[in-house]
Short mmCIF file of all heavy atoms in Angstrom, two decimals:
data_model
loop_
_atom_site.label_atom_id
_atom_site.label_comp_id
_atom_site.label_asym_id
_atom_site.label_seq_id
_atom_site.Cartn_x
_atom_site.Cartn_y
_atom_site.Cartn_z
N MET A 584 82.46 70.02 69.42
CA MET A 584 83.76 70.45 68.97
C MET A 584 84.84 70.15 70.02
O MET A 584 85.94 69.79 69.68
CB MET A 584 83.70 71.94 68.64
CG MET A 584 84.96 72.47 68.04
SD MET A 584 85.24 71.70 66.44
CE MET A 584 86.13 72.94 65.63
N GLU A 585 84.47 70.32 71.28
CA GLU A 585 85.44 70.07 72.36
C GLU A 585 85.84 68.60 72.41
O GLU A 585 87.00 68.28 72.69
CB GLU A 585 84.84 70.52 73.70
CG GLU A 585 85.82 70.48 74.85
CD GLU A 585 87.01 71.41 74.66
OE1 GLU A 585 86.87 72.48 74.03
OE2 GLU A 585 88.10 71.06 75.15
N LYS A 586 84.90 67.69 72.12
CA LYS A 586 85.22 66.25 72.11
C LYS A 586 86.24 65.94 71.02
O LYS A 586 87.17 65.16 71.23
CB LYS A 586 83.96 65.42 71.86
CG LYS A 586 83.10 65.23 73.05
CD LYS A 586 81.96 64.27 72.71
CE LYS A 586 81.16 63.93 73.93
NZ LYS A 586 80.12 62.95 73.63
N LYS A 587 86.08 66.55 69.86
CA LYS A 587 87.03 66.33 68.76
C LYS A 587 88.41 66.86 69.13
O LYS A 587 89.43 66.24 68.84
CB LYS A 587 86.54 67.00 67.48
CG LYS A 587 85.37 66.32 66.85
CD LYS A 587 84.97 66.99 65.56
CE LYS A 587 83.77 66.30 64.95
NZ LYS A 587 83.37 66.93 63.69
N ARG A 588 88.43 68.01 69.78
CA ARG A 588 89.71 68.60 70.19
C ARG A 588 90.43 67.69 71.20
O ARG A 588 91.64 67.46 71.09
CB ARG A 588 89.48 69.99 70.76
CG ARG A 588 90.78 70.69 71.12
CD ARG A 588 90.55 72.13 71.52
NE ARG A 588 90.25 72.88 70.31
CZ ARG A 588 89.45 73.91 70.25
NH1 ARG A 588 88.85 74.35 71.34
NH2 ARG A 588 89.23 74.54 69.12
N LYS A 589 89.69 67.16 72.14
CA LYS A 589 90.29 66.26 73.14
C LYS A 589 90.78 64.97 72.49
O LYS A 589 91.85 64.46 72.81
CB LYS A 589 89.28 65.94 74.24
CG LYS A 589 89.09 67.05 75.23
CD LYS A 589 88.14 66.64 76.34
CE LYS A 589 87.94 67.75 77.32
NZ LYS A 589 87.06 67.38 78.43
N ALA A 590 89.98 64.44 71.55
CA ALA A 590 90.38 63.22 70.87
C ALA A 590 91.64 63.45 70.05
O ALA A 590 92.55 62.62 70.04
CB ALA A 590 89.25 62.73 69.97
N LEU A 591 91.72 64.59 69.37
CA LEU A 591 92.90 64.91 68.58
C LEU A 591 94.12 65.08 69.48
O LEU A 591 95.21 64.61 69.16
CB LEU A 591 92.66 66.18 67.76
CG LEU A 591 93.80 66.63 66.87
CD1 LEU A 591 94.20 65.54 65.88
CD2 LEU A 591 93.43 67.90 66.13
N ARG A 592 93.94 65.72 70.60
CA ARG A 592 95.04 65.92 71.55
C ARG A 592 95.55 64.57 72.05
O ARG A 592 96.76 64.33 72.13
CB ARG A 592 94.59 66.78 72.71
CG ARG A 592 95.74 67.15 73.64
CD ARG A 592 95.33 68.10 74.76
NE ARG A 592 94.83 69.34 74.20
CZ ARG A 592 93.69 69.93 74.60
NH1 ARG A 592 92.95 69.40 75.55
NH2 ARG A 592 93.30 71.06 74.06
N LYS A 593 94.64 63.66 72.37
CA LYS A 593 95.04 62.32 72.83
C LYS A 593 95.80 61.57 71.74
O LYS A 593 96.79 60.90 72.01
CB LYS A 593 93.81 61.51 73.26
CG LYS A 593 93.28 61.84 74.60
CD LYS A 593 92.09 60.96 74.90
CE LYS A 593 92.22 60.41 76.30
NZ LYS A 593 91.11 59.54 76.66
N LEU A 594 95.33 61.69 70.51
CA LEU A 594 96.00 61.04 69.40
C LEU A 594 97.41 61.59 69.21
O LEU A 594 98.37 60.83 69.05
CB LEU A 594 95.18 61.21 68.12
CG LEU A 594 95.80 60.65 66.84
CD1 LEU A 594 95.99 59.14 66.95
CD2 LEU A 594 94.95 61.01 65.64
N LEU A 595 97.55 62.89 69.25
CA LEU A 595 98.86 63.51 69.09
C LEU A 595 99.81 63.11 70.22
O LEU A 595 100.99 62.86 69.99
CB LEU A 595 98.73 65.03 69.03
CG LEU A 595 98.15 65.58 67.74
CD1 LEU A 595 97.93 67.08 67.85
CD2 LEU A 595 99.03 65.25 66.55
N GLU A 596 99.31 63.03 71.43
CA GLU A 596 100.13 62.60 72.56
C GLU A 596 100.61 61.17 72.37
O GLU A 596 101.75 60.84 72.65
CB GLU A 596 99.36 62.73 73.87
CG GLU A 596 99.17 64.17 74.32
CD GLU A 596 98.25 64.30 75.52
OE1 GLU A 596 97.76 63.26 76.04
OE2 GLU A 596 98.02 65.44 75.95
N ALA A 597 99.72 60.30 71.88
CA ALA A 597 100.10 58.90 71.65
C ALA A 597 101.15 58.80 70.56
O ALA A 597 102.10 58.02 70.67
CB ALA A 597 98.86 58.08 71.27
N VAL A 598 101.01 59.58 69.50
CA VAL A 598 101.98 59.56 68.40
C VAL A 598 103.33 60.07 68.89
O VAL A 598 104.37 59.47 68.61
CB VAL A 598 101.48 60.40 67.20
CG1 VAL A 598 102.57 60.62 66.18
CG2 VAL A 598 100.28 59.72 66.57
N GLU A 599 103.34 61.17 69.64
CA GLU A 599 104.60 61.70 70.18
C GLU A 599 105.28 60.68 71.09
O GLU A 599 106.50 60.51 71.03
CB GLU A 599 104.34 62.98 70.95
CG GLU A 599 104.06 64.17 70.08
CD GLU A 599 103.76 65.41 70.88
OE1 GLU A 599 103.47 65.31 72.09
OE2 GLU A 599 103.78 66.49 70.28
N LYS A 600 104.51 60.02 71.91
CA LYS A 600 105.07 59.01 72.82
C LYS A 600 105.72 57.87 72.03
O LYS A 600 106.79 57.40 72.36
CB LYS A 600 103.96 58.47 73.73
CG LYS A 600 104.44 57.50 74.77
CD LYS A 600 103.29 57.05 75.64
CE LYS A 600 103.74 56.04 76.68
NZ LYS A 600 102.63 55.58 77.51
N GLU A 601 105.08 57.45 70.95
CA GLU A 601 105.59 56.36 70.12
C GLU A 601 106.86 56.78 69.39
O GLU A 601 107.81 56.01 69.26
CB GLU A 601 104.52 55.91 69.12
CG GLU A 601 104.83 54.64 68.41
CD GLU A 601 104.89 53.42 69.33
OE1 GLU A 601 104.19 53.39 70.36
OE2 GLU A 601 105.65 52.50 69.00
N ILE A 602 106.90 58.01 68.92
CA ILE A 602 108.07 58.52 68.20
C ILE A 602 109.28 58.60 69.13
O ILE A 602 110.41 58.31 68.72
CB ILE A 602 107.76 59.90 67.58
CG1 ILE A 602 106.80 59.73 66.41
CG2 ILE A 602 109.03 60.60 67.13
CD1 ILE A 602 106.29 61.03 65.84
N LEU A 603 109.06 58.99 70.37
CA LEU A 603 110.16 59.17 71.31
C LEU A 603 110.64 57.86 71.95
O LEU A 603 111.66 57.85 72.62
CB LEU A 603 109.76 60.16 72.40
CG LEU A 603 109.47 61.58 71.92
CD1 LEU A 603 108.96 62.43 73.07
CD2 LEU A 603 110.69 62.20 71.29
N LYS A 604 109.91 56.78 71.71
CA LYS A 604 110.26 55.50 72.31
C LYS A 604 111.52 54.94 71.67
O LYS A 604 111.71 55.02 70.46
CB LYS A 604 109.09 54.52 72.14
CG LYS A 604 109.24 53.24 72.91
CD LYS A 604 107.94 52.46 72.97
CE LYS A 604 107.52 51.94 71.63
NZ LYS A 604 106.41 50.98 71.71
N LYS A 605 112.39 54.37 72.49
CA LYS A 605 113.63 53.77 71.99
C LYS A 605 113.31 52.48 71.23
O LYS A 605 112.52 51.67 71.70
CB LYS A 605 114.56 53.46 73.16
CG LYS A 605 115.89 52.92 72.73
CD LYS A 605 116.80 52.65 73.91
CE LYS A 605 118.09 52.03 73.42
NZ LYS A 605 118.97 51.69 74.51
N PRO A 606 113.93 52.27 70.06
CA PRO A 606 113.67 51.04 69.31
C PRO A 606 114.18 49.81 70.07
O PRO A 606 115.13 49.89 70.84
CB PRO A 606 114.47 51.22 68.02
CG PRO A 606 115.15 52.52 68.10
CD PRO A 606 114.84 53.15 69.41
N ASP A 607 113.54 48.66 69.86
CA ASP A 607 113.96 47.45 70.53
C ASP A 607 115.20 46.85 69.85
O ASP A 607 115.63 47.29 68.79
CB ASP A 607 112.82 46.43 70.61
CG ASP A 607 112.34 45.96 69.26
OD1 ASP A 607 112.87 46.41 68.23
OD2 ASP A 607 111.43 45.12 69.23
N LYS A 608 115.79 45.85 70.49
CA LYS A 608 117.03 45.25 70.01
C LYS A 608 116.88 44.67 68.60
O LYS A 608 117.78 44.79 67.76
CB LYS A 608 117.51 44.17 70.97
CG LYS A 608 118.86 43.58 70.57
CD LYS A 608 119.36 42.61 71.60
CE LYS A 608 120.63 41.90 71.24
NZ LYS A 608 121.17 42.03 69.94
N LYS A 609 115.76 44.05 68.33
CA LYS A 609 115.53 43.44 67.02
C LYS A 609 115.58 44.50 65.91
O LYS A 609 116.19 44.29 64.86
CB LYS A 609 114.17 42.74 67.03
CG LYS A 609 113.85 41.98 65.78
CD LYS A 609 112.51 41.26 65.95
CE LYS A 609 112.14 40.48 64.72
NZ LYS A 609 110.84 39.81 64.87
N THR A 610 114.97 45.63 66.14
CA THR A 610 114.99 46.72 65.17
C THR A 610 116.40 47.25 64.98
O THR A 610 116.85 47.50 63.85
CB THR A 610 114.05 47.86 65.62
OG1 THR A 610 112.74 47.34 65.78
CG2 THR A 610 114.05 49.01 64.63
N LEU A 611 117.12 47.44 66.08
CA LEU A 611 118.50 47.93 65.99
C LEU A 611 119.40 46.95 65.25
O LEU A 611 120.25 47.36 64.45
CB LEU A 611 119.04 48.21 67.39
CG LEU A 611 118.35 49.35 68.15
CD1 LEU A 611 118.85 49.40 69.59
CD2 LEU A 611 118.54 50.67 67.45
N ASP A 612 119.21 45.65 65.47
CA ASP A 612 119.99 44.64 64.75
C ASP A 612 119.72 44.70 63.26
O ASP A 612 120.63 44.61 62.43
CB ASP A 612 119.68 43.24 65.28
CG ASP A 612 120.35 42.95 66.62
OD1 ASP A 612 121.29 43.68 67.00
OD2 ASP A 612 119.92 41.99 67.28
N ARG A 613 118.47 44.87 62.88
CA ARG A 613 118.11 44.96 61.46
C ARG A 613 118.71 46.21 60.81
O ARG A 613 119.17 46.17 59.68
CB ARG A 613 116.61 44.94 61.29
CG ARG A 613 116.03 43.57 61.55
CD ARG A 613 114.55 43.56 61.37
NE ARG A 613 114.02 42.22 61.59
CZ ARG A 613 112.75 41.93 61.60
NH1 ARG A 613 111.85 42.87 61.41
NH2 ARG A 613 112.35 40.69 61.82
N LEU A 614 118.68 47.32 61.52
CA LEU A 614 119.28 48.54 60.99
C LEU A 614 120.79 48.37 60.82
O LEU A 614 121.37 48.86 59.84
CB LEU A 614 118.99 49.73 61.91
CG LEU A 614 117.56 50.23 61.91
CD1 LEU A 614 117.35 51.26 63.01
CD2 LEU A 614 117.18 50.81 60.56
N SER A 615 121.41 47.68 61.74
CA SER A 615 122.85 47.43 61.65
C SER A 615 123.19 46.60 60.42
O SER A 615 124.22 46.82 59.78
CB SER A 615 123.34 46.71 62.91
OG SER A 615 123.11 47.50 64.03
N LEU A 616 122.34 45.65 60.08
CA LEU A 616 122.56 44.84 58.88
C LEU A 616 122.58 45.71 57.62
O LEU A 616 123.34 45.45 56.69
CB LEU A 616 121.48 43.76 58.75
CG LEU A 616 121.59 42.58 59.70
CD1 LEU A 616 120.34 41.71 59.59
CD2 LEU A 616 122.83 41.77 59.42
N LEU A 617 121.75 46.74 57.60
CA LEU A 617 121.70 47.62 56.44
C LEU A 617 123.01 48.37 56.21
O LEU A 617 123.33 48.73 55.07
CB LEU A 617 120.56 48.63 56.59
CG LEU A 617 119.15 48.08 56.47
CD1 LEU A 617 118.14 49.16 56.80
CD2 LEU A 617 118.91 47.54 55.07
N VAL A 618 123.76 48.61 57.27
CA VAL A 618 125.03 49.33 57.12
C VAL A 618 126.23 48.39 57.16
O VAL A 618 127.37 48.83 57.27
CB VAL A 618 125.17 50.47 58.16
CG1 VAL A 618 124.16 51.56 57.89
CG2 VAL A 618 125.06 49.96 59.57
N GLY A 619 125.98 47.10 57.08
CA GLY A 619 127.06 46.13 56.91
C GLY A 619 127.61 45.48 58.15
O GLY A 619 128.71 44.95 58.13
N PHE A 620 126.86 45.48 59.25
CA PHE A 620 127.31 44.85 60.48
C PHE A 620 126.41 43.68 60.82
O PHE A 620 125.26 43.62 60.41
CB PHE A 620 127.34 45.86 61.63
CG PHE A 620 128.43 46.88 61.47
CD1 PHE A 620 128.19 48.04 60.75
CD2 PHE A 620 129.68 46.67 61.98
CE1 PHE A 620 129.19 48.98 60.57
CE2 PHE A 620 130.69 47.61 61.81
CZ PHE A 620 130.44 48.76 61.10
N GLN A 621 126.94 42.75 61.60
CA GLN A 621 126.19 41.55 61.96
C GLN A 621 125.10 41.82 62.99
O GLN A 621 124.05 41.20 62.97
CB GLN A 621 127.14 40.48 62.50
CG GLN A 621 128.14 40.00 61.47
CD GLN A 621 127.46 39.38 60.27
OE1 GLN A 621 126.54 38.60 60.42
NE2 GLN A 621 127.91 39.73 59.09
N ASP A 622 125.36 42.75 63.90
CA ASP A 622 124.37 43.09 64.93
C ASP A 622 124.67 44.47 65.49
O ASP A 622 125.65 45.11 65.12
CB ASP A 622 124.35 42.04 66.05
CG ASP A 622 125.72 41.83 66.68
OD1 ASP A 622 126.57 42.74 66.61
OD2 ASP A 622 125.92 40.77 67.26
N TRP A 623 123.81 44.94 66.37
CA TRP A 623 123.92 46.28 66.93
C TRP A 623 125.20 46.45 67.75
O TRP A 623 125.84 47.49 67.69
CB TRP A 623 122.69 46.57 67.79
CG TRP A 623 122.68 47.93 68.40
CD1 TRP A 623 122.83 48.25 69.71
CD2 TRP A 623 122.53 49.19 67.71
NE1 TRP A 623 122.77 49.61 69.88
CE2 TRP A 623 122.60 50.21 68.67
CE3 TRP A 623 122.36 49.53 66.38
CZ2 TRP A 623 122.49 51.55 68.34
CZ3 TRP A 623 122.25 50.88 66.04
CH2 TRP A 623 122.31 51.86 67.02
N GLU A 624 125.57 45.42 68.51
CA GLU A 624 126.76 45.51 69.34
C GLU A 624 128.02 45.70 68.50
O GLU A 624 128.87 46.52 68.83
CB GLU A 624 126.91 44.27 70.23
CG GLU A 624 125.92 44.20 71.38
CD GLU A 624 124.56 43.68 70.94
OE1 GLU A 624 124.46 43.01 69.89
OE2 GLU A 624 123.58 43.98 71.65
N SER A 625 128.15 44.96 67.41
CA SER A 625 129.34 45.11 66.57
C SER A 625 129.35 46.47 65.89
O SER A 625 130.42 47.08 65.70
CB SER A 625 129.44 43.98 65.54
OG SER A 625 128.32 43.96 64.69
N PHE A 626 128.19 46.99 65.53
CA PHE A 626 128.12 48.34 64.96
C PHE A 626 128.56 49.38 65.99
O PHE A 626 129.36 50.27 65.68
CB PHE A 626 126.69 48.63 64.49
CG PHE A 626 126.49 50.05 64.05
CD1 PHE A 626 127.12 50.54 62.92
CD2 PHE A 626 125.66 50.89 64.76
CE1 PHE A 626 126.94 51.85 62.51
CE2 PHE A 626 125.46 52.20 64.35
CZ PHE A 626 126.11 52.69 63.23
N GLN A 627 128.08 49.26 67.21
CA GLN A 627 128.46 50.20 68.27
C GLN A 627 129.95 50.12 68.57
O GLN A 627 130.60 51.14 68.78
CB GLN A 627 127.65 49.92 69.54
CG GLN A 627 126.20 50.33 69.44
CD GLN A 627 126.04 51.82 69.28
OE1 GLN A 627 126.52 52.59 70.09
NE2 GLN A 627 125.38 52.22 68.21
N GLU A 628 130.48 48.91 68.58
CA GLU A 628 131.91 48.73 68.85
C GLU A 628 132.75 49.40 67.76
O GLU A 628 133.74 50.07 68.04
CB GLU A 628 132.24 47.25 68.94
CG GLU A 628 133.64 46.97 69.42
CD GLU A 628 133.89 45.49 69.59
OE1 GLU A 628 132.97 44.79 70.03
OE2 GLU A 628 135.01 45.06 69.28
N ALA A 629 132.35 49.23 66.52
CA ALA A 629 133.07 49.85 65.41
C ALA A 629 132.93 51.37 65.44
O ALA A 629 133.87 52.10 65.14
CB ALA A 629 132.58 49.30 64.08
N LEU A 630 131.76 51.83 65.83
CA LEU A 630 131.50 53.26 65.86
C LEU A 630 132.28 53.96 66.97
O LEU A 630 132.84 55.03 66.77
CB LEU A 630 130.00 53.50 66.05
CG LEU A 630 129.48 54.91 65.93
CD1 LEU A 630 129.72 55.44 64.53
CD2 LEU A 630 128.00 54.96 66.26
N HIS A 631 132.35 53.32 68.12
CA HIS A 631 132.98 53.94 69.29
C HIS A 631 134.34 53.36 69.64
O HIS A 631 135.01 53.87 70.52
CB HIS A 631 132.06 53.82 70.51
CG HIS A 631 130.73 54.47 70.30
ND1 HIS A 631 130.59 55.83 70.17
CD2 HIS A 631 129.49 53.96 70.18
CE1 HIS A 631 129.31 56.12 69.99
NE2 HIS A 631 128.62 55.00 69.99
N GLY A 632 134.74 52.31 68.98
CA GLY A 632 136.01 51.68 69.29
C GLY A 632 136.96 51.73 68.11
O GLY A 632 136.88 52.61 67.25
N GLU A 633 137.84 50.75 68.08
CA GLU A 633 138.84 50.71 67.03
C GLU A 633 138.64 49.52 66.09
O GLU A 633 139.51 49.19 65.30
CB GLU A 633 140.24 50.64 67.66
CG GLU A 633 140.55 51.88 68.48
CD GLU A 633 141.91 51.83 69.11
OE1 GLU A 633 142.76 51.04 68.66
OE2 GLU A 633 142.14 52.59 70.06
N THR A 634 137.47 48.88 66.16
CA THR A 634 137.17 47.73 65.33
C THR A 634 136.91 48.18 63.90
O THR A 634 136.21 49.17 63.67
CB THR A 634 135.94 46.97 65.86
OG1 THR A 634 136.17 46.63 67.21
CG2 THR A 634 135.67 45.73 65.05
N SER A 635 137.44 47.44 62.93
CA SER A 635 137.20 47.77 61.53
C SER A 635 135.95 47.06 61.03
O SER A 635 135.67 45.92 61.41
CB SER A 635 138.41 47.31 60.70
OG SER A 635 138.12 47.42 59.34
N ALA A 636 135.23 47.71 60.16
CA ALA A 636 134.03 47.08 59.57
C ALA A 636 134.41 45.90 58.70
O ALA A 636 133.60 45.01 58.46
CB ALA A 636 133.26 48.11 58.75
N ASP A 637 135.66 45.85 58.21
CA ASP A 637 136.10 44.74 57.37
C ASP A 637 136.04 43.41 58.12
O ASP A 637 135.91 42.36 57.49
CB ASP A 637 137.54 44.97 56.90
CG ASP A 637 137.62 46.16 55.94
OD1 ASP A 637 136.59 46.48 55.31
OD2 ASP A 637 138.70 46.75 55.84
N GLU A 638 136.10 43.43 59.44
CA GLU A 638 136.06 42.18 60.22
C GLU A 638 134.70 41.49 60.07
O GLU A 638 134.59 40.30 60.30
CB GLU A 638 136.35 42.47 61.68
CG GLU A 638 137.79 42.88 61.92
CD GLU A 638 138.09 43.09 63.38
OE1 GLU A 638 137.33 42.57 64.23
OE2 GLU A 638 139.09 43.75 63.69
N ASN A 639 133.68 42.21 59.71
CA ASN A 639 132.35 41.63 59.57
C ASN A 639 132.21 40.81 58.30
O ASN A 639 131.25 40.07 58.13
CB ASN A 639 131.27 42.72 59.58
CG ASN A 639 131.12 43.31 60.95
OD1 ASN A 639 131.06 42.60 61.93
ND2 ASN A 639 131.08 44.63 61.01
N TYR A 640 133.14 40.93 57.38
CA TYR A 640 133.04 40.25 56.10
C TYR A 640 133.97 39.05 55.97
O TYR A 640 134.14 38.52 54.91
CB TYR A 640 133.31 41.24 54.96
CG TYR A 640 132.27 42.31 54.90
CD1 TYR A 640 132.55 43.59 55.36
CD2 TYR A 640 130.99 42.05 54.44
CE1 TYR A 640 131.59 44.58 55.32
CE2 TYR A 640 130.03 43.02 54.40
CZ TYR A 640 130.34 44.30 54.84
OH TYR A 640 129.39 45.27 54.81
N LYS A 641 134.58 38.63 57.08
CA LYS A 641 135.47 37.47 57.04
C LYS A 641 134.69 36.20 57.00
O LYS A 641 133.62 36.04 57.41
CB LYS A 641 136.38 37.47 58.27
CG LYS A 641 137.40 38.59 58.20
CD LYS A 641 138.30 38.51 59.41
CE LYS A 641 139.31 39.64 59.35
NZ LYS A 641 140.18 39.65 60.48
#
């Protein structure tokens, strides 16, 4: 029983570590496409700056 408990604990730790990991640039770029931006940088600029999302559709 103790072996199963240790194995489960290791599995949960690995899952938590994966969940907390920051997504890579490729993933962020793809997510940005879903909300109408060309890439992650343009999404961030529009979110935190004064850039309009309409510029992405020219």
Side-chain angles (χ1 to χ4, degrees):
M584 186 65 151
E585 188 62 31
K586 281 186 174 183
K587 288 182 181 180
R588 184 173 286 147
K589 284 183 180 182
L591 181 58
R592 187 175 300 132
K593 281 181 134 180
L594 176 62
L595 287 174
E596 288 173 1
V598 169
E599 285 178 345
K600 184 178 178 181
E601 191 65 30
I602 289 173
L603 296 175
K604 190 166 67 169
K605 184 179 177 183
D607 63 0
K608 184 175 176 352
K609 185 177 180 181
T610 302
L611 294 172
D612 284 343
R613 287 181 178 174
L614 289 171
S615 299
L616 286 171
L617 289 173
V618 293
F620 290 88
Q621 297 299 316
D622 56 23
W623 181 249
E624 287 81 21
S625 60
F626 173 67
Q627 288 295 304
E628 189 176 323
L630 188 62
H631 300 293
E633 297 180 19
T634 304
S635 171
D637 293 336
E638 291 183 20
N639 289 314
Y640 295 104
K641 290 182 181 179

